[in-house]
């Protein structure tokens, strides 16, 4: 995992700060759009804020630091309280991953304005003493990663719910019946990523596309 590949304290601090920003905006986007769709739940729970303390799930962060995978935050939304339960819920769920793509674009623009291309793509040693460069590079990459990961159509990831909302009622009912099976697939993919010699399936569907988006946004795609 990226976090464990570089023990430099400045890198680790930049990683955690970038992740906190990414997760906070992701969860806020869910809640804000849900509220705009008519669901008062986010307001009742105090989630209409960019304060990380309102969104971060600390037990998940501890697990994340230990094994590299964990739910880092939750958005409590009730589609039955929305004006249009199907499409309101779809937009509220989709807002999370697409807010990460938006953040990746914003941080990439800032990075390209502040730093030269040669420095943006220099090796780790070239940026080791520049906290802003470390933060921007990590922010772009991690937001690309969260965008791709949350599009996976596997429960309980956002992508599963987006597919559920997009399907017509009869197919949505069938898709709902596959909820547990898709969750097993997710756990299997995560488990197999730790097995030496096994094909890195998560890399094929998440990390490789996220890396390509990262390079494109940073100017060399």
């Amino acid at each position: 995992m990226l976090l464990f590949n570089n023990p430099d304290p400045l890198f680790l601090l930049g990683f955690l700060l970038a992740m906190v920003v990414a997760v906070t905006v992701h969860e806020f986007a869910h809640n804000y759009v849900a509220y705009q769709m008519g669901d008062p739940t986010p307001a009742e729970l105090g989630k209409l804020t960019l304060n990380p303390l309102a969104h971060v799930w600390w037990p998940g962060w501890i697990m994340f630091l230990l094994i590299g995978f964990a739910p880092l935050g939750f958005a409590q939304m009730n589609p039955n309280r929305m004006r249009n339960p199907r499409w309101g819920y779809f937009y509220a769920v989709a807002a999370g991953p697409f807010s990460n793509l938006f953040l990746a674009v914003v941080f990439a623009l800032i990075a390209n304005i502040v730093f030269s291309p040669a420095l943006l793509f220099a090796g780790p040693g070239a940026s080791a003493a520049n906290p802003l460069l470390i933060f921007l590079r990590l922010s772009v990459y991690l937001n690309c990663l969260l965008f791709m990961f949350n599009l996976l159509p596997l429960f309980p990831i956002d992508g599963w719910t987006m597919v559920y909302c997009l399907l017509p009622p009869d197919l949505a009912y069938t898709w709902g019946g596959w909820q547990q099976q898709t969750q097993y697939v997710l756990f299997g993919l995560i488990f197999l990523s730790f097995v030496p010699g096994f094909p890195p399936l998560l890399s094929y569907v998440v990390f490789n596309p996220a890396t390509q988006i990262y390079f494109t946004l940073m100017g060399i795609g």
Side-chain angles (χ1 to χ4, degrees):
M1 182 199 165
L2 180 64
L3 180 58
F4 306 128
N5 289 340
N6 191 335
D8 178 70
L10 195 59
F11 177 91
L12 297 178
L13 180 61
F15 185 102
L16 292 174
L17 180 59
M19 186 62 85
V20 167
V21 172
V23 171
T24 298
V25 171
H26 180 105
E27 301 302 334
F28 170 78
H30 280 318
N31 286 286
Y32 178 77
V33 175
Y35 180 73
Q36 294 300 316
M37 294 295 107
D39 179 14
T41 306
E44 294 168 355
L45 297 177
K47 300 288 188 177
L48 298 180
T49 174
L50 285 171
N51 182 351
L53 296 178
H55 303 288
V56 168
W57 188 57
W58 297 111
W61 278 81
I62 295 173
M63 189 186 309
F64 172 74
L65 294 174
L66 291 175
I67 67 172
F69 290 98
L72 302 179
F74 294 103
Q76 294 172 275
M77 303 176 287
N78 187 345
N80 293 322
R81 304 177 77 180
M82 297 178 183
R83 290 184 296 273
N84 186 319
R86 178 186 179 187
W87 292 111
Y89 197 35
F90 172 80
Y91 293 132
V93 172
F98 281 95
S99 72
N100 291 125
L101 181 60
F102 174 76
L103 276 182
V105 172
V106 170
F107 283 124
L109 287 173
I110 295 173
N112 277 277
I113 290 172
V114 176
F115 299 102
S116 67
L119 193 55
L120 286 179
F121 299 103
S127 62
N130 195 316
L132 178 59
L133 179 57
I134 292 173
F135 172 75
L136 289 173
R137 290 170 66 169
L138 285 169
S139 291
V140 176
Y141 180 74
L142 290 175
N143 277 287
C144 290
L145 196 62
L146 286 174
F147 170 68
M148 288 305 307
F149 181 78
N150 279 285
L151 292 183
L152 290 177
L154 304 172
F155 187 84
I157 300 175
D158 293 337
W160 186 93
T161 304
M162 291 166 64
V163 171
Y164 180 81
C165 293
L166 287 171
L167 291 172
D170 54 337
L171 293 179
Y173 180 82
T174 302
W175 182 246
W178 294 346
Q179 175 178 305
Q180 190 173 46
Q181 289 87 334
T182 66
Q183 189 171 34
Y184 290 153
V185 173
L186 174 62
F187 291 155
L189 288 173
I190 294 173
F191 173 77
L192 291 174
S193 68
F194 292 97
V195 177
F198 198 88
L201 299 178
L202 270 182
S203 292
Y204 297 149
V205 298
V206 175
F207 291 94
N208 291 352
T211 300
Q212 185 57 53
I213 296 173
Y214 168 82
F215 285 137
T216 300
L217 291 179
M218 295 295 269
I220 67 169

